[in-house]
Structure formats: structure tokens, C-alpha cells
């Protein structure tokens, strides 16, 4: 059975590649900003928005292609407020300054669809507490990371130098990377996509 990842995310592709999962990648073409604006206007919180985006991505490809389609999304929640990816390094510095010394949540959702219908879903939430890092540390970190800091909503890669930002992390590592993996692998084994 064909397995398709409805995502442009390099981190999500790396998670599946690392786990040895064969798949195709396709861009879902979902306007995330429109979806977020609609849901925020309706009073939805960051976790619900992550789930809705994952579902829309999966359904966008599943309506066009046979097989199982994985849609995934992640939102950053600081005290109930949704934050998007930073647009440039100055905005990344502002984001990291806002997060330092505080605890935030990452909501990572996965929805798998077949024939235009969701058939499996999960939502994992990780709780991350950032150290109260110095301005000098932030400057050095952003100089090292450069544009990589713009690839995630928190402006960090836990699999890279971003690990040094944190004092405490509670939650699944793969979920923090943006793809709750273990439950997904179990589902794929049950569908016969992966060997049991």
C-alpha cells in the first residue's frame, strides 16, 4: 500500500527516514494562515488548531491519491496563546527572549486518511521549560543556527544546538520534532504497511 507524507517539513521526513519507513512526500497545498485565522476567530486553542491542520493536510492529498496519507502539524502554546514560525532572525531572537525562563507546550498532531476519510489520529503534547539563558548565549546560538532557527515554531532544533536552551523537557522526543512516531508505527503495522 502506498504511504504518503502530506508535508514539506524536513524534520518530519527525517523522522520517517530514520525509522526506515518508505513513503512518498507531497505538498498538501493547505493555506495554514487562513485555517488558523478561522479557528482562532471561532475560539479554538493551539491543540485543536494542530489537529485541524493535520487533518486538512491529510485530506487534501487523500482526496486525490490512493493509499494512506499522513498529515501532521505542530503548534506552540505559551499560556494558551498560539505562536507561528518566526519570519527572520530578529523575530527569532524576540521569540527566544519571550520563551526563556518560561514553560511552553508543543502540540503535535497526526491524522492518517484513506480515500478522503480520516482513519487514525493522535495528539501528543510536550512540555518544555527553557533556561533563563543570557543575551550573549542567544546571540551565539542564533549565529550558529542561522536560518535553521526559522524552521520550527520555537526557533530551536532539539536534535541540534537547541538542546542547550532547555532546563527540563517532559514528553515524547519524536513529538517535539513534530511527528508523534511510536503510535503511528503501531498503526502502520496494523495496516500491514510495516512488518509486525
Amino acid at each position: 500500500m502506498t504511504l504518503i507524507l502530506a508535508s514539506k517539513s524536513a524534520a518530519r521526513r527525517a523522522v520517517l527516514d530514520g525509522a526506515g519507513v518508505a513513503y512518498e512526500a507531497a505538498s498538501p497545498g493547505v493555506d495554514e494562515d487562513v485555517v488558523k485565522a478561522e479557528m482562532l476567530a471561532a475560539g479554538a486553542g493551539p491543540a485543536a488548531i494542530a489537529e485541524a491542520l493535520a487533518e486538512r493536510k491529510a485530506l487534501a492529498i487523500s482526496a486525490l491519491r490512493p493509499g494512506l496519507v499522513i498529515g501532521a502539524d505542530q503548534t506552540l502554546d505559551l499560556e494558551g496563546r498560539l505562536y507561528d514560525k518566526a519570519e527572520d532572525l530578529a523575530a527569532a531572537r524576540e521569540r527566544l527572549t519571550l520563551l526563556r525562563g518560561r514553560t511552553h507546550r508543543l502540540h503535535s498532531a497526526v491524522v492518517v486518511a484513506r480515500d478522503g476519510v480520516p482513519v487514525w489520529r493522535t495528539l501528543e503534547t510536550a512540555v518544555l521549560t527553557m533556561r533563563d539563558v543570557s543575551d550573549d548565549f542567544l546571540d551565539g546560538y542564533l549565529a550558529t543556527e542561522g536560518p535553521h532557527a526559522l524552521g520550527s515554531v520555537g526557533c530551536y532544533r532539539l536534535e541540534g544546538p537547541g538542546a542547550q536552551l532547555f532546563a527540563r523537557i517532559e514528553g515524547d522526543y519524536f513529538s517535539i520534532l513534530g511527528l508523534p512516531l511510536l503510535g503511528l508505527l503501531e498503526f502502520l503495522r496494523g495496516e500491514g504497511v510495516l512488518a509486525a
Side-chain angles (χ1 to χ4, degrees):
M1 178 179 296
T2 303
L3 183 64
I4 303 166
L5 175 65
S7 178
K8 299 178 285 187
S9 166
R12 290 187 187 104
R13 290 195 308 267
V15 168
L16 288 179
D17 291 342
V21 176
Y23 66 95
E24 300 172 25
S27 178
V30 172
D31 190 332
E32 296 184 30
D33 291 335
V34 169
V35 175
K36 288 176 188 174
E38 289 172 354
M39 294 193 70
L40 287 169
I49 291 171
E51 284 190 289
L53 286 167
E55 181 172 307
R56 291 204 191 182
K57 291 175 183 180
L59 294 178
I61 300 296
S62 182
L64 305 172
R65 307 259 316 262
L68 290 173
V69 180
I70 302 167
D73 203 85
Q74 182 183 70
T75 56
L76 188 150
D77 175 348
L78 179 63
E79 299 174 358
R81 183 173 171 199
L82 176 74
Y83 289 85
D84 290 321
K85 289 181 182 176
E87 293 184 10
D88 55 35
L89 290 176
R93 193 177 199 298
E94 287 179 23
R95 174 72 43 79
L96 291 167
T97 300
L98 178 69
L99 294 176
R100 70 179 167 186
R102 299 171 77 181
T103 298
H104 66 275
R105 288 173 167 70
L106 291 177
H107 305 291
S108 295
V110 175
V111 174
V112 179
R114 178 180 20 228
D115 301 323
V117 177
V119 294
W120 184 84
R121 67 179 62 234
T122 191
L123 174 72
E124 298 281 337
T125 298
V127 181
L128 298 91
T129 301
M130 195 172 282
R131 296 186 307 112
D132 190 8
V133 298
S134 67
D135 288 342
D136 286 344
F137 180 90
L138 282 184
D139 291 339
Y141 168 75
L142 288 169
T144 300
E145 279 292 88
H148 292 297
L150 307 178
S152 74
V153 290
C155 303
Y156 53 78
R157 294 181 302 144
L158 199 63
E159 69 276 27
Q164 295 187 43
L165 292 165
F166 292 95
R168 189 173 65 253
I169 294 173
E170 301 167 43
D172 177 68
Y173 176 73
F174 298 113
S175 296
I176 295 168
L177 298 186
L179 188 69
L181 183 65
L182 300 181
L184 176 61
L185 294 178
E186 184 65 23
F187 170 75
L188 295 175
R189 283 190 291 271
E191 292 293 307
V193 175
L194 300 176

